[in-house]
Amino acid sequence: MKIVSVGGGPAGLYFAILMKRADPGHHIEVHERNRLEDTFGFGVVFSDATGSNLETADPETFEAMASHFARWDDIDIHYRGTVVTSTGHAFSGMSRSTLLRVLADRCRDLGVELHFQSEIEDVTSLDADLILAADGFNSAIRQRYAEAFRPTIDFRPNRFVWLGTTRPFPAFTFYFKENAHGLWRVHAYQYEEGHSTFIVETTDAAWKASGLAVEDEDATAAYCEALFAEELDGHPLLRNKSIWRQFPNVWNASWSHENIVLMGDAAHTAHFSVGSGSKLAMEDAIVLAESVQGAADVPQALRDYEAVRRPAVESLQRAAQVSLEWFENTERYLTLEPLQFAFNLLTRSLRVSHENLKVRDPALVARVDRWFADQGGVPAGATPPPLFTPFQLRDLELSNRIVVSPMCQYAAEDGMPDDWHLVHLGSRAIGGAGLVMTEMTDVSADGRISPGCAGLYRPEHVTGWRRIVDFVHRHSGAAIGMQLGHAGRKGSTRAPWDGVDLPLPSGNWPVLAPSAVPWSEGNQVPRAMTRDDMDAVRDDHVRATRWADEAGFDLLEIHMAHGYLLATFISPLTNRRTDAYGGALTDRMRFPLEVFDAVREAWPESKPLSVRVSAVDWAPGGTTPEHAVEVARLFQRHGCDIVDVSAGQTVPEQRPVYGRQFQTPFSDRIRLETGLPTMTVGNISSYEDANGILAAGRADLVVMARAHLWNPYWTRHAAQALDYPFPWPDPYAVLNDYTPRER
């Protein structure tokens, strides 16, 4: 097979090594437009896991690389005049120029043809079975065949510059330092004896305020040397094409076209705060080499390569995206105490969890957990895991931070909760959650989603709910909260098992909305609300609030999310009014705040009041996370105690971005920018996730739905897994402690 690599970086060189090693009969050429010694940048980083992969793929090359490694286990975080050190991370660094030299030497030993200062103008002139487009994120090949590869390149707003220094760093080191221009972040690590990488990153606004120019390397070095004089300890900053850049997120819909395949930065990028492009490129080479050797022909090999490699790459890219956004918004975290700031930083990408960090660095996690327990008022002594730390809202103290999410059951008759609701909520209360929430309970018969929805609009409903509340209080340590809502334009539909969002076959009731915009073409056109309608809906909420208190609920939540009535006032996609209740966000918030104020006045002062919001509509022209912060601030000014942060479901054409903990960043932002406590939801299922979210300050309570469907005793199982003593109700405690006696 004849193979030509256009690009002589780690991707092309390492693939050439692996293929030539597998079959010396392959004819392999590598063409690089620059000289070998012209590499730009300083050091590259490899985790121990990556090192193991490289060693398995080619022990000889890895041995040559490892002889140049600078190794470290620690991460030092310099913040607010303190240093928090975390250990157990096991990384290695080496000079990029040394890496390329090692790979080139190995290529020559194996008989690969290397051509430096060789520009390939037209790949169609290459007589090759396989062509590697390994020509970097500015790939000319990718550009030429853009219709086939369909690339997306997103240049991120932060500015960064890649510098070096002669100061050795014994750990991977982060600095966070402010001056008159803004906050500056440094990512620094030693890659060989006497030399370290020193990446300086800041916001575009701070960079512009500094007056620095993109390509003025001398001025950049002088500015950074002055700013970080203490940190550099007399060592100079080194330059090597050290210009200010904006990180490009590269993604391609397809990685191959005919016999051409994208590799490394030409195919994908991941922010340097998570890993190095060299690591990704060399792992690409491993998978591509295995695919070529195992397939019948090149097209099949390229399909196999992408099928195997793309999921791993995109998983890393998702983590890298979260990480780069953390560094884009570091200013948001400056209110955190040093220990929590460090934990938040270490767990930012979600690839390092609370438990994973505990394995690496148990002493640090013990400090974090103790600090968190102190904030929760836990006396010195045994330290609970974060999820078992109590939480106070007004006069209500929750025994732990786990919440059973409101889950519509569609099992009521004319709004009346029955035995199903008793078992559904009661079993999860016995299961150990700190707070159990009812499903969205409608404030009027016409406010129901379906005929099976629970309600609090008849006096008889109070008795039905009090039965459930009394059971929870009598037989568990859980608090119980009522979520009140009105379906608005999403009402008068069938139970979902009879057809999601479909109108009733008969007996439909009229539906309301701020504007006469139906949920979908198949749903009723709602009546645009008049002032009389608003008064009625407000009064329905007040009446239900008083009855919720009469039934004994500990907490009340108003549903202003998911495209239901009050949420449709907030979103510009559904509120098209031209009166005082439409237009700007403050005007769209007018009626939701009227309802909130009336409910707050009717609800006892000693009891907390929550609001559930959709932080983003996931649709063009809809609400954004920035809007959500302002929405939360408005509720905060009106006496809201905690915001339950969800997202979407405002319009059927939404395009959510799913993933693990995918809604937690919205909670994180609202909590840190407003100071208002938050609950977070969205694809959270493990106690590791819960502990990490809480300890990092991303939310105050963790709300789970599906996890509690799968396992009503989720909290008790978490306690067992974490070896945390958790009391059983008396009937179960007897059985749990029972030892059979001889008769």
Side-chain angles (χ1 to χ4, degrees):
M1 176 182 288
K2 182 179 179 181
I3 300 169
V4 177
S5 173
V6 181
L13 293 173
Y14 198 54
F15 180 74
I17 290 168
L18 298 178
M19 291 302 295
K20 198 70 171 175
R21 181 174 180 265
D23 184 351
H26 291 312
H27 178 83
I28 305 176
E29 301 175 11
V30 177
H31 293 262
E32 168 59 45
R33 66 168 64 96
N34 299 301
R35 297 175 301 174
L36 177 63
E37 61 271 20
D38 284 343
T39 179
F40 302 113
F42 293 93
V44 297
V45 177
F46 299 101
S47 67
D48 275 9
T50 300
S52 295
N53 291 340
L54 298 177
E55 185 174 20
T56 300
D58 181 20
E60 292 85 353
T61 300
F62 180 76
E63 183 179 355
M65 290 171 54
S67 67
H68 299 281
F69 280 169
R71 292 187 53 80
W72 65 86
D73 285 326
D74 294 350
I75 296 175
D76 286 347
I77 300 165
H78 295 250
Y79 166 73
R80 277 207 222 161
T82 65
V83 182
V84 177
T85 298
S86 177
T87 194
H89 296 279
F91 283 92
S92 300
M94 71 181 300
S95 162
R96 178 173 169 81
S97 61
T98 300
L99 171 62
L100 292 178
R101 188 174 66 251
V102 166
L103 296 178
D105 288 346
R106 178 79 168 133
C107 280
R108 292 189 186 99
D109 290 344
L110 291 170
V112 175
E113 292 185 14
L114 302 182
H115 302 275
F116 293 97
Q117 294 181 286
S118 173
E119 188 81 45
I120 302 295
E121 299 288 349
D122 182 6
V123 294
T124 61
S125 66
L126 297 173
D127 180 21
D129 300 297
L130 176 62
I131 299 171
L132 310 185
D135 50 346
F137 85 87
N138 275 325
S139 172
I141 300 175
R142 185 188 63 218
Q143 181 60 32
R144 173 165 183 168
Y145 298 103
E147 289 187 6
F149 295 124
R150 305 190 300 285
T152 299
I153 303 178
D154 171 28
F155 284 92
R156 302 302 301 178
N158 266 17
R159 299 277 180 165
F160 70 95
V161 61
W162 210 285
L163 297 160
T165 179
T166 56
R167 182 189 164 177
F169 289 95
F172 195 108
T173 303
F174 291 107
Y175 292 114
F176 299 90
K177 193 168 189 177
E178 290 183 279
N179 68 359
H181 300 139
L183 178 70
W184 303 78
R185 307 94 158 119
V186 167
H187 314 241
Y189 57 89
Q190 186 173 348
Y191 60 82
E192 66 183 16
E193 186 174 352
H195 288 91
S196 300
T197 295
F198 197 86
I199 307 168
V200 181
E201 181 182 6
T202 192
T203 63
D204 188 60
W207 176 76
K208 287 176 178 174
S210 72
L212 294 170
V214 170
E215 296 192 15
D216 192 339
E217 294 182 82
D218 292 340
T220 291
Y223 183 95
C224 294
E225 281 178 352
L227 177 59
F228 294 103
E230 180 181 350
E231 291 77 10
L232 290 168
D233 194 26
H235 290 267
L237 287 176
L238 309 176
R239 301 177 290 285
N240 180 7
K241 197 64 173 174
S242 299
I243 64 174
W244 289 96
R245 298 174 171 88
Q246 292 172 280
F247 188 82
N249 273 336
V250 175
W251 185 89
N252 287 273
S254 175
W255 289 359
S256 65
H257 170 61
E258 297 178 348
N259 66 334
I260 303 170
V261 62
L262 299 175
M263 294 186 68
D265 286 351
H268 47 67
T269 58
H271 193 251
F272 52 81
S273 61
V274 164
S276 72
S278 297
K279 159 207 155 56
L280 277 171
M282 295 176 74
E283 290 175 336
D284 284 353
I286 292 172
V287 177
L288 181 58
E290 290 172 348
S291 299
V292 171
Q293 293 165 45
D297 53 37
V298 168
Q300 184 60 52
L302 300 187
R303 288 192 294 270
D304 293 347
Y305 162 63
E306 186 167 347
V308 172
R309 184 70 179 134
R310 182 183 283 274
V313 167
E314 292 187 349
S315 174
L316 183 63
Q317 285 184 305
R318 286 191 294 270
Q321 181 68 20
V322 175
S323 181
L324 79 82
E325 289 178 5
W326 193 97
F327 284 100
E328 288 173 355
N329 298 290
T330 305
E331 288 80 357
R332 183 182 302 159
Y333 302 98
L334 298 184
T335 58
L336 297 180
E337 292 299 315
L339 195 58
Q340 190 173 44
F341 179 90
F343 183 85
N344 194 301
L345 168 61
L346 292 167
T347 60
R348 67 194 179 280
S349 72
L350 307 184
R351 293 173 76 87
V352 176
S353 67
H354 181 275
E355 288 303 301
N356 180 267
L357 188 58
K358 189 174 181 179
V359 171
R360 301 183 190 201
D361 192 350
L364 176 66
V365 173
R367 287 175 59 202
V368 170
D369 288 356
R370 184 61 250 172
W371 176 88
F372 192 83
D374 290 341
Q375 311 313 301
V378 177
T383 301
L387 73 89
F388 288 107
T389 300
F391 183 64
Q392 188 85 26
L393 283 170
R394 297 197 182 225
D395 288 356
L396 175 65
E397 181 176 86
L398 302 178
S399 61
N400 64 65
R401 307 293 184 106
I402 300 302
V403 180
V404 176
S405 187
M407 291 177 274
C408 288
Q409 300 297 293
Y410 306 99
E413 186 171 339
D414 191 15
M416 179 64 76
D418 58 16
D419 288 350
W420 176 270
H421 301 84
L422 173 66
V423 174
H424 169 68
L425 295 170
S427 62
R428 284 154 183 84
I430 293 172
L435 174 65
V436 176
M437 294 296 300
T438 70
E439 64 195 86
M440 185 176 92
T441 302
D442 300 299
V443 297
S444 65
D446 287 354
R448 292 174 296 169
I449 305 169
S450 77
C453 287
L456 194 47
Y457 52 83
R458 293 195 292 117
E460 295 85 354
H461 294 157
V462 179
T463 302
W465 284 117
R466 186 187 296 120
R467 174 175 174 243
I468 295 169
V469 171
D470 288 348
F471 179 91
V472 169
H473 287 160
R474 184 181 306 117
H475 296 295
S476 79
I480 183 167
M482 162 62 71
Q483 186 189 71
L484 292 178
H486 187 296
R489 68 180 190 155
K490 296 174 82 171
S492 191
T493 61
R494 309 176 195 187
W497 48 81
D498 291 328
V500 176
D501 296 330
L502 292 180
L504 296 169
S506 62
N508 285 279
W509 56 85
V511 295
L512 299 174
S515 304
V517 181
W519 166 251
S520 72
E521 291 183 1
N523 292 92
Q524 288 187 66
V525 177
R527 182 173 79 244
M529 292 174 69
T530 65
R531 183 63 252 186
D532 287 345
D533 292 328
M534 293 183 200
D535 290 344
V537 167
R538 179 201 60 210
D539 294 346
D540 287 342
H541 276 82
V542 169
R543 181 190 62 222
T545 295
R546 293 188 175 125
W547 282 347
D549 180 46
E550 187 179 334
F553 284 97
D554 304 298
L555 175 146
L556 188 70
E557 178 169 284
I558 310 174
H559 203 327
M560 299 201 190
H562 298 173
Y564 297 123
L565 181 65
L566 296 177
T568 52
F569 273 88
I570 299 173
S571 174
L573 296 176
T574 50
N575 183 343
R576 302 179 186 176
R577 300 177 73 99
T578 57
D579 62 4
Y581 297 93
L585 177 61
T586 51
D587 295 325
R588 300 197 308 271
M589 285 292 295
R590 193 185 302 271
F591 181 59
L593 287 170
E594 284 182 16
V595 174
F596 181 90
D597 288 343
V599 167
R600 179 69 271 181
E601 185 176 353
W603 186 241
E605 183 71 19
S606 61
K607 293 185 179 184
L609 180 59
S610 169
V611 171
R612 173 167 274 200
V613 300
S614 285
V616 62
D617 285 338
W618 302 117
T623 55
T624 66
E626 291 82 3
H627 297 140
V629 171
E630 185 54 33
V631 167
R633 282 200 180 102
L634 289 168
F635 283 124
Q636 183 180 32
R637 292 171 193 152
H638 286 246
C640 181
D641 297 296
I642 190 167
V643 175
D644 185 355
V645 185
S646 187
Q649 302 180 54
T650 304
V651 291
E653 64 269 22
Q654 68 174 359
R655 292 294 181 268
V657 181
Y658 292 118
R660 182 164 150 246
Q661 300 181 37
F662 71 106
Q663 295 179 110
T664 298
F666 309 131
S667 165
D668 177 52
R669 179 169 188 173
I670 289 172
R671 184 180 187 274
L672 292 175
E673 292 191 15
T674 68
L676 187 62
T678 61
M679 308 187 215
T680 189
V681 302
N683 207 2
I684 303 166
S685 60
S686 74
Y687 64 84
E688 295 183 51
D689 287 344
N691 280 331
I693 288 166
L694 295 165
R698 298 182 178 108
D700 298 276
L701 298 174
V702 176
V703 184
M704 291 181 284
R706 288 183 180 84
H708 280 115
L709 288 180
W710 300 326
N711 181 5
Y713 287 74
W714 186 97
T715 309
R716 293 195 177 279
H717 282 111
Q720 183 181 41
L722 293 166
D723 197 25
Y724 178 74
F726 197 69
W728 288 88
D730 287 343
Y732 285 175
V734 171
L735 294 172
N736 200 43
D737 295 337
Y738 176 67
T739 302
R741 291 175 294 180
E742 292 184 5
R743 291 183 180 273

